[in-house]
Amino acid sequence: MASSSAAPRRAPNVLITGTPGTGKTTLSEQVATESGLTHWNIGELVKTKALHEGWDEQYNAYILDEDKVCDELEDVMCAGGNIVDHHGCDFFPERWFDLVLVLRTDNTTLYDRLAERGYTGTKLQDNVECEIMQVILEEARESYAAEIVKELPSSTVDEMEENVETIKEWVAQWKAAHQS
């Protein structure tokens, strides 16, 4: 675990979160490519590093081991320069992030995206309801300082492109403000 006397980060850490199907991974990959930040897809990390407690048959997904995920990322997050992409956000340490972005997608678009991924039944219904009820947005607002939590629309290609530019500008401003 990093100490409070660790060197200041030279680049920010950004969390991109939202209901599955809102475009987190697509946006994160694009921003990482264009900004030089490192993209961490938590779902992929959980699979490749076995950071889980087994398999959930109902949701056809791994059961995330939050402690293992945080332990795995601690050093890289303290160093800075990361984009973390995950549908949950309340278990990450607040100190890790300089910006928390919650992607929002209209329900029809979200339903279509999830159905195209093969989501059916309870998994499909629960995720659409999660978006309708703003569960991830509320989770972010409860877990992080209000000034770092931002909501971004993510229903169209144009919105995604605007989001990429907005985040790149924010990263550049953060770097300029934190130069030593």
Side-chain angles (χ1 to χ4, degrees):
M1 180 174 271
S3 69
S4 59
S5 62
R9 296 194 303 250
R10 293 192 176 155
N13 289 325
V14 178
L15 173 61
I16 298 181
T17 190
T19 305
T22 56
K24 296 176 299 297
T25 301
T26 302
L27 179 62
S28 296
E29 288 172 348
Q30 188 68 33
V31 171
T33 298
E34 295 189 27
S35 69
L37 300 180
T38 301
H39 174 220
W40 295 95
N41 177 323
I42 299 303
E44 287 301 313
L45 187 66
V46 166
K47 283 188 257 184
T48 60
K49 299 277 191 163
L51 306 176
H52 57 82
E53 300 172 348
W55 185 256
D56 183 322
E57 293 294 333
Q58 180 181 4
Y59 286 97
N60 201 25
Y62 286 106
I63 302 166
L64 181 85
D65 184 321
E66 296 172 354
D67 291 335
K68 286 182 181 177
V69 170
C70 290
D71 289 346
E72 181 70 25
L73 291 174
E74 178 67 26
D75 290 342
V76 296
M77 295 305 292
C78 288
N82 301 288
I83 296 178
V84 175
D85 148 20
H86 190 56
H87 58 265
C89 65
D90 62 346
F91 69 93
F92 296 117
E94 183 177 4
R95 64 184 161 74
W96 279 4
F97 299 107
D98 303 291
L99 181 64
V100 176
L101 301 170
V102 182
L103 301 186
R104 302 297 312 279
T105 302
D106 76 74
N107 301 325
T108 302
T109 301
L110 182 63
Y111 183 95
D112 293 344
R113 289 178 185 174
L114 294 175
E116 190 174 298
R117 286 184 180 184
Y119 284 36
T120 59
T122 302
K123 187 172 183 176
L124 176 59
Q125 181 180 347
D126 286 355
N127 280 291
V128 172
E129 286 177 7
C130 181
E131 183 67 6
I132 292 168
M133 301 301 292
Q134 303 184 58
V135 171
I136 306 300
L137 179 60
E138 291 306 315
E139 183 178 288
R141 287 177 173 161
E142 291 171 5
S143 301
Y144 301 96
E147 62 270 12
I148 71 166
V149 177
K150 309 294 181 207
E151 182 179 0
L152 294 176
S154 185
S155 297
T156 67
V157 172
D158 287 343
E159 288 173 343
M160 188 192 77
E161 290 171 356
E162 288 172 26
N163 291 341
V164 169
E165 292 307 313
T166 298
I167 299 165
K168 282 175 29 187
E169 289 171 15
W170 182 89
V171 168
Q173 290 172 357
W174 189 97
K175 287 179 178 180
H178 291 85
Q179 286 181 347
S180 24

